[in-house]
């Protein structure tokens, strides 16, 4: 994997770059739709490529391991062949999912024992096992196995957890270097910076991660309940340390405003389930703000869903029609809303890139933050 830093904004830390992988290029900043089990919910692969213009999507090691299983994925020739998406993919290690299973998992130095949410069967993840699983899945970018502590963790627990994450990272790197890709193209391993909302722990973790010289680096454990201002502060602390010549990935974030604020602070890559999950529940994101499509106010509004979004959505769908579909519990509502929201998120990050390259990102971002935060 290669990363070319093409321009940094003169007034902020915002960056435009180009990542090159075995499955093609990724222009940054970029939003990555979440395809947890090899599928972005309610969206076809051709829609991802042609309508949404997704450059890269995510899969999740924990979920793909449980179902369909890496044996099936290996027989298929990897996740790209299995789901038919021939552009870059990234796999989360499953750390967040495993550690969110409070009450049905046991954590120790060697790894984490957990029970399947599907059938209750017992499983055990170690850093080495997760690297092997991600090799079998075959994503272009593999995430290290870490512990994602609760956002409310006290300092002692956060410090102990960070030590474990760092020791596991060394084991991930060792196993990654001992193994080879299985499907004829290279894979990259991204370490993850943790440390909750404690400045000294975030600093320590960023320095440790930066010292590994990985192809790219991630920031985890944010947007888990802390105030937005604290999240932005932690991003600044970490990005002041992470190498500028490597891509930076902020995991699981977030709202359109969060993404714009992250870009301003030097983040290159984002993912979040919000566009699809909220879309399936009737919440649509537009250039003028957020709409709840179940509200009666849209019942006889025959204007396009996003009148300013002619470059990324089908303007033949009206607010009234989508309101009707949600009220009638028609499955097409979920599809239209998901595609619209993802297309908007991809448009937003691409527009940010264009304004970084043009040199007017700061003024554009300031006006856009006010608009997308409105409740319509």
């Amino acid at each position: 994997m290669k990363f070319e830093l093409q321009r940094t904004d003169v007034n902020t830390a915002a960056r435009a770059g180009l990542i090159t992988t075995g499955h093609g290029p990724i222009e940054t900043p970029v939003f990555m739709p979440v395809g947890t089990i090899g599928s972005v919910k309610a969206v076809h692969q051709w829609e991802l490529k042609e309508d949404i213009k997704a450059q890269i999507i995510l899969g999740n090691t924990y979920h793909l391991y449980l179902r369909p299983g890496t044996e099936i994925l290996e027989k298929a020739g990897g996740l790209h062949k299995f789901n038919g998406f021939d552009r870059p993919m990234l796999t989360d290690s499953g750390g967040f999912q495993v550690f969110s299973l409070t009450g049905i998992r046991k954590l120790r130095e060697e790894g984490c024992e957990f029970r399947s949410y599907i059938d209750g069967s017992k499983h055990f993840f170690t850093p080495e096992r997760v690297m092997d699983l991600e090799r079998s899945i075959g994503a272009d970018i593999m995430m290290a196995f870490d512990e994602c502590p609760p956002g409310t963790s006290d300092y002692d627990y956060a410090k102990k957890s960070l030590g474990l994450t760092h020791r596991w990272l060394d084991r991930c790197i060792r196993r990654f270097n001992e193994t080879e890709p299985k499907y004829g193209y290279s894979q990259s391993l991204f370490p993850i910076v943790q440390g909750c909302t404690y400045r000294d722990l975030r600093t320590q973790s960023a320095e440790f991660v930066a010292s590994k010289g990985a192809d790219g680096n991630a920031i985890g454990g944010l947007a888990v309940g802390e105030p937005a201002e604290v999240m932005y502060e932690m991003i600044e602390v970490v990005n002041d340390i992470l190498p500028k010549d490597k891509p930076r990935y902020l995991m699981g974030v977030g709202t359109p405003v969060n993404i714009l604020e992250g870009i301003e602070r030097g983040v290159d890559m984002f993912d979040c389930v919000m566009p699809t999950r909220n879309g399936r529940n009737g919440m649509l994101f537009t250039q003028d703000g957020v709409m709840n499509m179940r509200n009666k106010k849209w019942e006889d509004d025959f204007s396009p869903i996003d009148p300013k979004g002619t470059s990324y959505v089908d303007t033949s769908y009206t607010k009234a029609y989508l309101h009707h579909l949600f009220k009638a519990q028609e499955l097409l509502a979920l599809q239209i809303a998901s595609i619209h929201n993802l297309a908007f998120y991809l448009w937003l990050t691409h527009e940010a890139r264009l304004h970084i390259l043009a040199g007017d990102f700061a003024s554009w971002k300031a006006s856009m933050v006010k608009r997308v935060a409105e409740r319509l």
Side-chain angles (χ1 to χ4, degrees):
M1 194 190 84
K2 297 179 181 179
F3 178 63
E4 175 190 353
L5 183 57
Q6 297 172 315
R7 179 160 184 168
T8 300
D9 183 57
V10 293
N11 298 308
T12 71
R15 300 132 54 91
L18 180 67
I19 300 171
T20 304
T21 75
H23 282 94
I26 306 164
E27 294 181 337
T28 64
V30 65
F31 181 82
M32 303 179 286
V34 177
T36 302
I37 57 171
S39 167
V40 178
K41 292 185 185 299
V43 181
H44 291 106
Q45 316 299 16
W46 64 266
E47 290 166 325
L48 283 170
K49 294 192 288 186
E50 296 178 19
D51 297 340
I52 297 167
K53 298 179 175 58
Q55 302 178 73
I56 175 174
I57 64 173
L58 270 68
N60 183 269
T61 299
Y62 165 80
H63 288 283
L64 290 167
Y65 160 76
L66 291 177
R67 190 167 50 192
T70 51
E71 181 179 352
I72 295 295
L73 294 176
E74 287 193 7
K75 286 181 179 179
L79 183 57
H80 289 89
K81 295 287 183 64
F82 186 65
N83 73 358
F85 189 79
D86 58 3
R87 294 179 183 176
M89 283 197 271
L90 179 151
T91 41
D92 190 358
S93 67
F96 178 81
Q97 285 71 32
V98 167
F99 298 113
S100 66
L101 300 172
T102 305
I104 55 173
R105 53 92 168 172
K106 296 179 181 178
L107 178 65
R108 53 183 183 267
E109 184 69 32
E110 185 182 356
C112 186
E113 178 186 291
F114 62 95
R115 291 191 177 274
S116 166
Y117 73 96
I118 299 170
D119 60 9
S121 56
K122 188 181 295 185
H123 304 270
F124 193 71
F125 272 7
T126 65
E128 294 80 9
R129 177 66 171 143
V130 170
M131 291 299 95
D132 292 346
L133 293 173
E134 293 194 77
R135 287 291 198 195
S136 294
I137 294 168
D140 301 86
I141 299 172
M142 302 165 42
M143 302 307 300
F145 189 54
D146 64 332
E147 183 189 4
C148 184
T152 56
S153 298
D154 62 31
Y155 184 85
D156 288 342
Y157 184 87
K159 184 176 181 179
K160 180 180 178 182
S161 169
L162 185 61
L164 183 64
T165 285
H166 288 174
R167 292 191 296 277
W168 281 1
L169 174 57
D170 282 337
R171 290 167 59 187
C172 285
I173 293 172
R174 189 178 309 115
R175 186 64 173 180
F176 179 81
N177 291 334
E178 291 172 350
T179 55
E180 296 291 335
K182 295 188 175 185
Y183 307 114
Y185 53 86
S186 65
Q187 294 176 281
S188 295
L189 174 63
F190 281 23
I192 302 172
V193 175
Q194 290 287 356
C196 293
T197 57
Y198 301 105
R199 176 182 282 265
D200 63 324
L201 297 184
R202 284 284 174 180
T203 298
Q204 177 186 337
S205 187
E207 290 172 346
F208 185 83
V209 163
S211 73
K212 301 304 174 182
D215 288 343
N217 301 292
I219 307 170
L222 293 177
V224 289
E226 77 281 359
E229 295 75 18
V230 174
M231 175 175 69
Y232 301 148
E233 178 189 354
M234 293 301 104
I235 294 170
E236 291 173 4
V237 168
V238 171
N239 279 349
D240 279 346
I241 298 167
L242 291 181
K244 292 180 170 55
D245 61 344
K246 304 292 178 64
R248 302 158 174 167
Y249 163 32
L250 179 59
M251 304 179 73
V253 179
T255 67
V257 171
N258 292 157
I259 288 174
L260 290 170
E261 297 291 350
I263 291 173
E264 184 178 65
R265 289 160 173 81
V267 175
D268 307 296
M269 305 166 69
F270 302 85
D271 80 285
C272 191
V273 297
M274 184 172 284
T276 47
R277 178 178 292 171
N278 289 31
R280 295 194 306 274
N281 286 287
M283 178 182 286
L284 265 69
F285 300 96
T286 77
Q287 291 187 47
D288 287 323
V290 182
M291 300 185 294
N292 182 343
M293 298 314 301
R294 290 192 169 93
N295 286 351
K296 186 175 176 61
K297 66 183 295 184
W298 310 119
E299 184 177 44
D300 58 355
D301 187 331
F302 303 105
S303 64
I305 294 170
D306 188 352
K308 295 179 180 176
T310 54
S311 62
Y312 59 87
V313 291
D314 187 337
T315 55
S316 64
Y317 295 126
T318 66
K319 297 182 180 73
Y321 180 59
L322 189 55
H323 169 81
H324 158 68
L325 294 180
F326 271 109
K327 294 295 286 186
Q329 299 185 4
E330 168 57 47
L331 293 178
L332 181 59
L334 314 185
Q335 187 174 18
I336 292 173
S338 296
I339 292 171
H340 168 88
N341 280 351
L342 286 172
F344 170 73
Y345 269 60
L346 268 292
W347 173 86
L348 186 67
T349 50
H350 182 66
E351 278 294 296
R353 172 185 168 82
L354 294 180
H355 286 280
I356 293 167
L357 293 173
D360 64 349
F361 170 79
S363 59
W364 171 83
K365 178 257 178 181
S367 64
M368 187 59 65
V369 162
K370 294 178 183 177
R371 288 166 52 189
V372 298
E374 289 290 326
R375 289 279 176 168
L376 300 178

